[in-house]
Amino acid sequence: MNVGGILETALYVADVPRSADFYRRLFGFGTLLDSERLVALDVVGRNVLLLFQAGATSEPFTLLGGGGVIPGHDGSGRNHLAFSIAAEDVEPWRRRLEAEGVPVESIVTWPGGCRSLYFRDPDNHLVELITPGFWPIY
């Protein structure tokens, strides 16, 4: 019995449509679910980025039709997530972010040569684009 990976990453945002538009526009992520409580975005067919309305999930949520109860959860503050990119795409991504009006906060060259671009989403979460070579698994 093994875990197959991380399927979902959740961010808690002030304005779900605004944040969903940011991630759709910047990365081209498709929509898997769109509701008042959350938007679920398809991250390249392998992962799901959940954008929850901040404060709307702290209480248990009962599914219609008796399917069960999702326990309450919530998050606050500035969080961090990283998306993998190819080494040759650092400069094209930097230009894309600039063209979209998204300031690059930092560019880091790590020991071993991989690189990261850091920027903020509309809720001030720190988003990273990182090339291969930092982690032994990537």
Side-chain angles (χ1 to χ4, degrees), residues 3 29 35 44 46 52 64 67 78 85 88 101 103 110 115 122 132-133:
V3 169
F29 295 159
S35 72
V44 299
R46 292 190 310 248
F52 285 104
L64 295 175
R78 298 183 303 177
I85 62 170
E88 62 270 14
W110 297 97
R115 297 178 72 198

Side-chain angles (χ1 to χ4, degrees), residues 85-114:
I85 62 170
E88 62 270 14
D89 288 344
V90 170
E91 285 307 309
W93 270 112
R94 185 194 58 73
R95 289 190 300 272
R96 169 79 185 265
L97 291 165
E98 183 179 279
E100 291 288 338
V102 178
V104 173
E105 193 168 317
S106 182
I107 300 174
V108 173
T109 300
W110 297 97
C114 75

Side-chain angles (χ1 to χ4, degrees), residues 83-90 110 113-117 128-135 138:
F83 297 108
S84 58
I85 62 170
E88 62 270 14
D89 288 344
V90 170
W110 297 97
C114 75
R115 297 178 72 198
S116 293
L117 295 172
E128 176 184 7
L129 301 177
I130 187 168
T131 65
F134 185 82
W135 298 109
Y138 172 67

Side-chain angles (χ1 to χ4, degrees), residues 1-130:
M1 185 165 60
N2 295 305
V3 169
I6 294 176
L7 177 63
E8 299 172 343
T9 298
L11 293 176
Y12 299 86
V13 300
D15 184 330
V16 173
R18 176 190 69 182
S19 292
D21 180 61
F22 175 84
Y23 285 99
R24 286 182 191 123
R25 186 183 80 244
L26 197 58
F27 298 111
F29 295 159
T31 302
L32 299 169
L33 174 70
D34 193 340
S35 72
E36 289 182 19
R37 292 179 69 237
L38 78 124
V39 169
L41 299 175
D42 175 358
V43 180
V44 299
R46 292 190 310 248
N47 305 103
V48 180
L49 177 59
L50 300 174
L51 303 171
F52 285 104
Q53 178 65 51
T57 59
S58 57
E59 298 298 319
F61 181 77
T62 303
L63 295 175
L64 295 175
V69 175
I70 300 170
H73 53 88
D74 199 8
S76 63
R78 298 183 303 177
N79 292 299
H80 165 67
L81 71 156
F83 297 108
S84 58
I85 62 170
E88 62 270 14
D89 288 344
V90 170
E91 285 307 309
W93 270 112
R94 185 194 58 73
R95 289 190 300 272
R96 169 79 185 265
L97 291 165
E98 183 179 279
E100 291 288 338
V102 178
V104 173
E105 193 168 317
S106 182
I107 300 174
V108 173
T109 300
W110 297 97
C114 75
R115 297 178 72 198
S116 293
L117 295 172
Y118 290 97
F119 58 95
R120 302 281 175 173
D121 78 357
D123 289 273
N124 217 21
H125 297 300
L126 182 62
V127 182
E128 176 184 7
L129 301 177
I130 187 168

